[in-house]
Every structure is written in C-alpha cells, then in structure tokens.
C-alpha cells in the first residue's frame, strides 16, 4: 500500500515516542508494531537524526541502529519543553493558518490543525494576537499537493493538465497516484493511463488538477530507490557528449554523468546518458555561448535548429 506524506509524518512522530519508551528495541519488533517493512523502518531511521529542536548537533535526535536493535542516545537532551521565541511563534502561527486553508486537505486534519493553532495562540499571548494580522497565500503547488495527498489517501484517480518542457506542450491525462516525494522539487509518482506506464510528475508543472470518482488502481510496482537522486541513467541509455565553457561547469554538478574531462579553455567535455536525449535541447539553449552538444549528430543538429528558430522569433519582433 502506498504511503502519503502526512501518514508518514504521523508514523515518524509516533516512532519517536515508541523508541523513547523502548531503548534497544529490535528492528523486527518495531516494524511489526507499525505495520511496515524493515526497509521502510530503516528509511525512517535515516531521516530522524536530521530532526530535533534546532540544527545544533546536541538538539538533533541521536538515533542509530546496527541492523538488529535501535538505540536513542540522547532522549533527555531533546525532551525539554520547547520555548519559542516571538519570531518563531509568529512564523509557526502564520504557517499553520495558511496550511489550514489548503484546498483538498482532509477535514479531520484541518480540524486537528485548527485546534493545535488555537492552543499555540493562547500560549503565545500577545505574539499570537499580533500574528493574526499577517497572512500567507500558497502558490498553486500547495493546492496540487493537497489534492494529490487526498487522492492517495482516498485511492482516487486524478485528471491532470500537465506541462512537458521536453516537448513544450500541455497534455491531458488520467493518473493513478502512487506516492509523493521531494528531490529538490516535489513530485508525484503515478501510473499514467495515457501512456500506460509509470511516470513522474513535478507538481509545479501541473496546470490543472481534479479528483475523479474512479478508483485508483495502479499495478503492483516496486518503488524506485531515490537515494541516488531522481535521474538515474541506465547503461543502455543513449550517450550524449556536451562541451561547456567555464560558465557552464555547473552542468557537471547538476547532471549525473559518466565523465567530465577538462578542456584547455577551462571548460569541460561531459559525457552522460539519458533515456530522453531530446530533453537536452533546452539545456543547450540555456547554455547559449557557454555550451554545445557534440554528439549524437542528430541531437546536435536539432539543437542548432532550435537556436536558429529562437533567434528568428526575436528578429520578427524587431
């Protein structure tokens, strides 16, 4: 069963309480208690050490495992009641009120958030009253996230109008959502009924979204391991060679590649693999004079034609 982001957050909060009361708990027993696999539990344990009352080392959860038992080394250090500064209380209250207005948020979650906000306002005193004069409006991605999260929870299909930058077009499609995740941006993984294949959708590229009454029924799929990043080229993917100048060296930092050889002018000759070479045309246009596609020849020719078309459009305006 797919797990949505809110359910995972609930589980991890419960996990902290559970581990505090059971020092040295066995991995197998904890996974069974929470109804998850041992791999899912280990994944949660990898996240927990990045959580705490601040980003100072002593305030983070010092939790680790040897694969058999789980140890929490500093439960008393992070158990003291949290005291919020006035700016922290204001930021938290404003964010809580904004989240409570998100479309698609489950009513039970909204009511729980409203109750928690009211308690925080009381505790914050004058700061709580002052924060009511501030408001935040989420961009469209926030509403999309809420709709996707709700669709996963209720096992409903989604209808999307989605922008594909590789083809520079909007398409309409129905998707059975599988999970939400974040790798730089926030994404939905789902089974696309248009292509009858697993696809990944970036939420800020969703132009329109609707929940359908049709049930979501994606095929049984093994979830991809995203620990190495969203883009994980395969050995059989086509090879692309790009040469960049000094101002384009950032490409080697952002794109997984097989090699990056130094050039005499301070640039790089980058060899990479991608299942969709055509998507790199936009990279070539972005680089401008700081880069060019060397091979394959047909992709290099396509990039040159795209550049000429772009320049011609500016000439027509002039």
């Amino acid at each position: 069963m797919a797990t949505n982001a809110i359910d995972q957050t609930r589980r991890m909060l419960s996990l902290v309480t559970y581990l505090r009361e059971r020092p040295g708990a066995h991995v197998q027993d904890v996974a069974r208690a929470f109804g998850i696999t041992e791999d899912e539990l280990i994944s949660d344990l990898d996240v927990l050490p990045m959580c705490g009352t601040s980003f100072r080392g002593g305030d983070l959860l010092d939790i680790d495992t040897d694969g058999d038992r789980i140890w929490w080394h500093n439960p008393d250090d992070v158990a003291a009641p949290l005291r919020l500064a006035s700016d922290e209380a204001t930021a938290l209250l404003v964010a809580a009120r904004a989240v409570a207005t998100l479309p698609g948020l489950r009513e039970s979650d909204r009511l729980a958030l409203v109750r928690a906000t009211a308690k925080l306002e009381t505790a914050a005193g004058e700061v709580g009253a002052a924060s009511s004069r501030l408001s935040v409006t989420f961009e469209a991605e926030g509403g999309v996230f809420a709709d996707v999260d709700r669709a996963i929870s209720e096992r409903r299909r989604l209808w999307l109008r989605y922008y594909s930058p590789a083809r520079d077009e909007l398409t309409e499609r129905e998707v059975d959502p599988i999970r939400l995740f974040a790798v730089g941006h926030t994404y939905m993984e789902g089974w696309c009924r248009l292509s009858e294949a697993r696809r990944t959708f970036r939420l800020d590229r969703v132009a329109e979204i609707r929940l359908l009454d049709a049930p979501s029924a994606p095929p049984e799929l093994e979830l991809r391991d995203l620990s190495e990043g969203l883009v994980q080229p395969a050995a059989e993917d086509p090879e692309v060679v790009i040469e960049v100048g000094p101002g384009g060296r950032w490409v080697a930092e952002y794109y997984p590649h097989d090699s990056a050889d130094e050039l005499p002018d301070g640039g790089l000759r980058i060899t990479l693999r991608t299942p969709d070479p055509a998507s790199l045309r936009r990279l070539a246009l972005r680089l401008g004079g700081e880069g060019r596609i060397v091979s394959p020849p047909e992709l290099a020719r396509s990039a040159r034609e795209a550049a000429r078309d772009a320049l011609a459009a500016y000439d027509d305006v002039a």
Side-chain angles (χ1 to χ4, degrees):
M1 181 186 299
T3 300
N4 64 49
I6 292 177
D7 288 338
Q8 184 180 20
T9 300
R10 289 192 185 113
R11 182 178 73 226
M12 291 177 68
L13 290 172
S14 299
L15 183 58
V16 171
T17 302
Y18 185 95
L19 294 176
R20 179 176 175 80
E21 297 172 353
R22 297 167 178 81
H26 288 278
V27 169
Q28 184 178 15
D29 294 339
V30 178
R32 186 185 304 113
F34 281 83
I36 58 177
T37 66
E38 292 184 22
D39 286 341
E40 288 174 319
L41 174 59
I42 296 300
S43 178
D44 286 350
L45 295 177
D46 288 340
V47 174
L48 285 178
M50 295 183 282
C51 304
T53 56
S54 80
F55 289 108
R56 296 189 298 271
D59 296 328
L60 298 177
L61 303 179
D62 186 5
I63 296 176
D64 64 26
T65 177
D66 58 7
D68 177 42
R69 305 184 73 174
I70 304 169
W71 305 98
W72 185 355
H73 302 290
N74 66 338
D76 295 331
D77 293 343
V78 295
L82 180 62
R83 296 182 181 275
L84 295 175
S86 59
D87 58 337
E88 292 172 327
T90 298
L92 187 57
L93 284 167
V94 171
R97 294 192 192 101
V99 171
T101 65
L102 283 176
L105 191 65
R106 282 172 285 182
E107 190 60 24
S108 59
D109 292 328
R110 190 189 312 278
L111 292 174
L113 184 57
V114 169
R115 289 194 297 269
T117 303
K119 292 178 181 178
L120 181 58
E121 286 176 339
T122 301
E126 294 181 3
V127 172
S131 69
S132 65
R133 295 193 291 269
L134 302 174
S135 64
V136 171
T137 301
F138 282 103
E139 296 296 333
E141 183 176 328
V144 172
F145 182 98
D147 284 338
V148 175
D149 184 72
R150 179 181 173 189
I152 293 173
S153 175
E154 299 178 3
R155 300 183 184 180
R156 293 168 61 182
R157 185 170 296 175
L158 289 165
W159 173 88
L160 308 176
R161 287 182 67 236
Y162 186 76
Y163 174 68
S164 174
R167 295 185 296 273
D168 192 27
E169 66 179 6
L170 280 167
T171 57
E172 296 183 9
R173 59 187 76 205
E174 293 185 6
V175 178
D176 292 342
I178 297 173
R179 62 171 170 170
L180 285 159
F181 63 91
V183 181
H185 295 276
T186 306
Y187 296 86
M188 171 185 66
E189 186 173 22
W191 185 261
C192 177
R193 294 295 171 176
L194 178 65
S195 58
E196 287 299 321
R198 173 163 48 188
R199 291 290 184 266
T200 301
F201 303 93
R202 216 171 92 175
L203 296 198
D204 61 352
R205 292 176 179 164
V206 175
E208 190 176 350
I209 186 169
R210 287 202 304 267
L211 275 77
L212 303 178
D213 292 331
S216 173
E220 291 292 331
L221 298 170
E222 183 177 351
L223 296 181
R224 293 187 300 153
D225 179 8
L226 301 173
S227 60
E228 298 299 322
L230 178 62
V231 180
Q232 301 173 30
E236 63 271 16
D237 288 341
E239 183 181 272
V240 178
V241 178
I242 303 173
E243 289 187 353
V244 300
R249 294 178 67 95
W250 58 267
V251 174
E253 299 176 9
Y254 284 87
Y255 286 81
H257 55 276
D258 296 335
S259 63
D261 301 320
E262 295 285 345
L263 295 175
D265 64 351
L268 294 172
R269 182 182 178 91
I270 302 169
T271 302
L272 54 83
R273 296 182 182 276
T274 174
D276 183 17
S279 65
L280 295 178
R281 282 198 304 264
R282 292 177 62 87
L283 172 62
L285 292 175
R286 180 180 176 185
L287 287 167
E290 284 292 337
R292 68 186 184 95
I293 295 175
V294 177
S295 67
E298 60 272 18
L299 180 59
R301 182 170 57 254
S302 174
R304 287 195 299 269
E305 291 172 354
R308 281 197 295 266
D309 291 343
L311 287 173
Y314 280 102
D315 290 338
D316 291 342
V317 172

